[in-house]
Amino acid sequence: MSLGDSDNEMRILVVEDDKDLNRQLASALRDEQYSVDVAFDGEEGHFLGDTEPYDVIVLDLGLPELDGVTVLKRWRADGRMTPVLILTARDAWSEKVAGFDAGADDYVTKPFRIEEVLARIRALIRRASGHAASELSCGGVVLDTRAGRVSVDGAPVTLTAHEFKVISYLMHHRDEVVSRTELTEHIYEQDFDRDSNTIEVFVGRLRRKLPKGLIQTVRGLGYRLSEPESESNKT
Ligand code: CA
């Protein structure tokens, strides 16, 4: 499988009780290579957001069992800082205010175009990882988060969807040690039979496709992506 013009890498939770809308959002996000979990009421959504590591959560405010503002307030009160994009009803300015006061990072008003939701999610991920541009680069490797492409010294590299998710996560956490467990959790969806050994396989393949020394093994801890120490100086 080669990666075409898809987008991203990370785990997203969609909490929306409208089944059609939930399905549309989940499918559009999966098309962009995100791993997606879904919830159809506030309790389920709160539980998932509380127990699973997501990179972004899309949260409808009008939800059964537990309303979205309450869900969000509980996450924030418990120290969960995941970026949250709320979905609000048209013209309900008071909902937006309540949502922001509860700790929302951004909002989209219904009805929305899916492209706008996707763009706002990309922006939230970039902001969360401290990068303002849609391109991340390190040691001659450039990752275009918008186009879902990776190149080395300007030459495109063909990656599988899983390889892309791994490199993308590492690029977003440049110079940090990322454990295999963390990588596994961010790459597979909830119900997938997780096997952290496969991460080694993906990293091995990436190392053959990318500059030597870019992905370092930190013994007993995981991996770290940083500028390879070498005589060449590409920046
Ligand atoms: Ca709703």
Side-chain angles (χ1 to χ4, degrees), residues 10-155:
M10 307 200 163
R11 280 189 80 181
I12 297 186
L13 172 65
V14 175
V15 190
E16 167 59 74
D17 59 313
D18 181 321
K19 290 200 166 60
D20 284 339
L21 190 53
N22 192 315
R23 194 178 319 122
Q24 281 172 34
L25 281 166
S27 122
L29 289 165
R30 288 188 178 118
D31 284 349
E32 301 294 311
Q33 307 298 323
Y34 294 108
S35 297
V36 183
D37 290 341
V38 296
F40 296 90
D41 65 60
E43 259 177 31
E44 190 188 7
H46 173 262
F47 174 77
L48 285 174
D50 208 32
T51 51
E52 297 287 327
Y54 294 105
D55 297 287
V56 172
I57 297 173
V58 179
L59 178 68
D60 182 33
L61 290 188
L63 290 169
E65 308 299 336
L66 204 59
D67 69 273
V69 168
T70 304
V71 170
L72 184 50
K73 276 186 184 157
R74 288 192 187 174
W75 283 333
R76 297 308 191 222
D78 291 337
R80 307 259 175 276
M81 299 316 289
T82 312
V84 172
L85 174 70
I86 54 172
L87 306 177
T88 67
R90 189 151 55 117
D91 298 332
W93 64 267
S94 57
E95 252 190 23
K96 278 171 216 159
V97 173
F100 277 116
D101 283 346
D105 297 275
D106 200 0
Y107 73 93
V108 175
T109 305
K110 292 179 182 180
F112 48 75
R113 293 196 59 96
I114 208 84
E115 290 83 357
E116 183 180 355
V117 174
L118 296 176
R120 289 186 180 278
I121 286 173
R122 284 194 294 267
L124 285 176
I125 288 174
R126 286 199 302 272
R127 249 178 273 156
S129 55
H131 300 279
S134 67
E135 280 193 353
L136 304 176
S137 70
C138 184
V141 178
V142 174
L143 178 125
D144 184 335
T145 61
R146 192 173 302 157
R149 276 189 285 263
V150 172
S151 62
V152 176
D153 295 331

Side-chain angles (χ1 to χ4, degrees), residues 185-217:
E185 282 175 351
H186 279 269
I187 280 150
Y188 295 121
E189 294 189 16
Q190 198 186 350
D191 301 329
F192 196 97
D193 181 21
R194 290 174 189 168
D195 178 0
S196 63
N197 291 323
T198 58
I199 293 294
E200 279 182 82
V201 176
F202 298 140
V203 168
R205 288 194 209 138
L206 281 167
R207 281 182 171 144
R208 288 194 283 280
K209 296 177 182 185
L210 300 174
K212 202 165 179 261
L214 182 79
I215 304 173
Q216 296 132 27
T217 299

